[in-house]
Amino acid sequence: MRSIILSMSVSLDGYFEGPGGDLGWHLIDDELHTHLNEEMRRMGAFLMGRVDYELMSGVWPTADTDPANPAPMREFAAIWRETPKIVFSRTLERTDEENAEIRREVDPEEIRALKARPGPDMTVGGALLAESFRRHDLIDEYHLYVHPVLLGRGRLLFGPEPAESPLRLVSTRTFGNGVVLLHHRRTDSASAGGAAG
């Protein structure tokens, strides 16, 4: 059974974005970006909402053509192009990438069938899509990158839960810029524990 992993950056007080969609507080240096590349390279698919997909597809397909971009950014361009994507949108008519598919809604049975196929784990991106996946009890692991900042306002990553979701801490890792990775897994997950960072 493949896992679905939510990987998100959050402030210390739980916001995934500041007022007006501000992400300027993210501390993405070469060390953290290299780590994220390693994590994303092993994913079998990116599960994304329309907004995140359009933001990402506006940057990453050609990021390695600009020599001014740092090496980890150029490296991720190839990861982005090669990884299959499923985009959940009621309005998006088409994508410009051959390995991107559109779904009109989250069908829990379809996602569970996708998880049951052989292959690498998948990552879900975007707070709204993640909320839908949580509501349908589809997320197996949480990789939260806690940035050393208190925002005080913005959009919280987690709203009210439909039910209690017990988690087990698998590992932590502290990066040189002060970001801390908290890796949790559902306690009922059949997969084994990961290595400590």
Side-chain angles (χ1 to χ4, degrees):
M1 180 73 74
R2 299 197 281 178
S3 291
I4 291 182
I5 299 169
L6 172 62
S7 180
M8 292 282 288
S9 287
V10 295
S11 65
L12 186 59
D13 48 352
Y15 294 92
F16 72 91
E17 68 180 22
D22 176 40
L23 300 177
W25 48 275
H26 283 193
L27 300 175
I28 309 294
D29 58 10
D30 283 356
E31 179 194 17
L32 180 53
H33 207 311
T34 298
H35 161 81
L36 292 170
N37 287 352
E38 293 167 357
E39 291 293 299
M40 294 300 107
R41 184 180 289 111
R42 67 183 184 86
M43 294 295 121
F46 297 157
L47 312 176
M48 315 181 73
R50 177 189 60 81
V51 172
D52 284 334
Y53 172 74
E54 289 182 337
L55 287 172
M56 298 282 280
S57 64
V59 174
W60 293 112
T62 59
D64 53 353
T65 63
D66 186 351
N69 285 334
M73 283 187 65
R74 299 196 305 272
E75 181 183 17
F76 183 73
I79 297 170
W80 170 262
R81 289 193 299 264
E82 293 165 7
T83 305
K85 303 156 198 70
I86 300 177
V87 185
F88 294 85
S89 172
R90 292 186 178 93
T91 59
L92 191 65
E93 293 299 326
R94 64 180 182 83
T95 70
D96 294 326
E97 300 176 77
E98 292 182 1
N99 63 352
E101 305 174 37
I102 298 174
R103 296 288 186 276
R104 293 301 175 206
E105 60 184 16
V106 176
D107 179 341
E109 293 308 313
E110 180 186 17
I111 301 301
R112 291 188 183 99
L114 187 63
K115 289 172 64 173
R117 295 179 192 168
D121 293 338
M122 299 168 286
T123 182
V124 58
L128 290 177
L129 184 61
E131 182 180 357
S132 178
F133 272 61
R134 285 202 325 274
R135 193 165 55 247
H136 293 297
D137 197 27
L138 295 170
I139 298 178
D140 303 291
E141 297 187 24
Y142 295 82
H143 296 188
L144 299 186
Y145 295 84
V146 183
H147 292 244
V149 60
L150 295 168
L151 294 180
R153 56 200 181 104
R155 294 177 65 191
L156 290 167
L157 178 57
F158 297 115
E161 293 292 319
E164 183 177 319
S165 301
L167 303 173
R168 176 171 59 87
L169 180 65
V170 175
S171 65
T172 65
R173 175 174 172 177
T174 302
F175 296 88
N177 60 10
V179 172
V180 177
L181 165 61
L182 302 177
H183 174 188
H184 288 83
R185 182 176 288 126
R186 290 167 48 137
T187 57
D188 62 346
S189 175
S191 53

